[in-house]
Amino acid sequence: LMNGIEDDDDEEEEDVTADSECLESILMSSVEFDPVGICAKALGTRFAKEFGVKAVPCLSHEVEWFQERMAHKTPVVVPQRLLNVLRRGGYFDLQRETQEVWFMENVRPPGEGEESAVVEKAMELLKRAGANDVTIMFVKIEAVVDPVKHKYMCRYNDAFVQYHVNDSVLKLEKPAEAIAMYVAQEYPDGHVLLNLMCSSK
């Protein structure tokens, strides 16, 4: 299951691939046969020992996404049937991995001094545009690509009612204006972005 190697008896079945479900993967990914996921967690532990704690299992078409947006992770291509088991063994899907990066890892409030001044200016711009309920947090994201180009600058955390902004925005020429724009893009009311754009002219 871990290495996608079939038994010799299965060689004559031409349609069988490493992505095809096998008895092990069916049992380990089943809530009925393994209610608490003991086997899946054990396999997850083995995966971490074999590939390292920074390794994350993924499908071949997901490798580029991880390399661009999660440079601190090492993508390891695995068959779908193994991925199904590892999802129960502590490894998350792309959506959950994104949530981990934006909302759980390296999140911090604005620092004192210049950062706070920048955020206060951004919030004033947002208030003028009609957004009065904005809380801004910074998050450090290790990415190898241009976050501006890939629209990887801001996400809204509805659980905490916060806007998490990539701290690389502080390196831009007009950080306060950029923060206001990125937050406005995530703001539920589209009029805020429109008002912000009109007021900047």
Side-chain angles (χ1 to χ4, degrees):
L1 176 61
M2 177 71 86
N3 300 308
I5 300 175
E6 299 290 340
D7 294 334
D8 293 338
D9 295 340
D10 294 333
E11 290 182 355
E12 59 186 33
E13 298 182 20
E14 297 180 358
D15 294 335
V16 174
T17 67
D19 284 329
S20 302
E21 290 282 10
C22 64
L23 182 59
E24 288 176 292
S25 65
I26 293 172
L27 293 176
M28 289 184 180
S29 60
S30 171
V31 178
E32 180 181 356
F33 293 105
D34 188 6
V36 296
I38 293 177
C39 293
K41 291 172 183 175
L43 192 64
T45 300
R46 179 183 169 189
F47 180 88
K49 287 182 177 180
E50 184 166 335
F51 297 102
V53 293
K54 292 186 177 181
V56 57
C58 65
L59 301 176
S60 58
H61 68 273
E62 297 172 333
V63 171
E64 185 176 354
W65 186 94
F66 276 101
Q67 291 175 335
E68 289 180 349
R69 295 169 175 80
M70 301 184 71
H72 60 298
K73 298 285 188 178
T74 304
V76 177
V77 177
V78 299
Q80 180 65 59
R81 69 183 186 188
L82 175 56
L83 194 61
N84 294 340
V85 177
L86 292 175
R87 287 284 180 263
R88 296 195 70 207
Y91 289 93
F92 308 127
D93 56 23
L94 286 180
Q95 181 178 359
R96 180 62 185 274
E97 289 287 353
T98 300
Q99 291 176 342
E100 288 278 324
V101 170
W102 279 101
F103 306 138
M104 300 180 190
E105 299 177 357
N106 301 318
V107 177
R108 63 177 178 82
E112 296 182 0
E114 186 176 349
E115 283 190 6
S116 293
V118 167
V119 171
E120 287 177 7
K121 182 179 179 181
M123 292 180 68
E124 181 60 33
L125 293 172
L126 288 164
K127 286 180 181 179
R128 293 177 188 173
N132 299 308
D133 53 349
V134 172
T135 300
I136 294 173
M137 302 287 284
F138 284 126
V139 56
K140 185 174 183 61
I141 299 177
E142 300 180 43
V144 295
V145 297
D146 182 351
V148 175
K149 179 179 179 181
H150 288 79
K151 301 179 180 179
Y152 216 60
M153 295 300 295
C154 180
R155 294 292 185 273
Y156 177 60
N157 186 338
D158 55 0
F160 295 99
V161 196
Q162 296 173 342
Y163 292 84
H164 291 198
V165 180
N166 190 327
D167 68 357
S168 64
V169 73
L170 297 169
K171 300 176 182 179
L172 299 181
E173 184 177 352
K174 296 182 177 181
E177 289 80 356
I179 291 172
M181 180 189 67
Y182 288 126
V183 169
Q185 289 176 342
E186 297 292 321
Y187 198 79
D189 186 348
H191 288 96
V192 170
L193 178 59
L194 179 61
N195 294 339
L196 186 69
M197 293 174 64
C198 291
S199 64
S200 64
K201 293 182 180 180

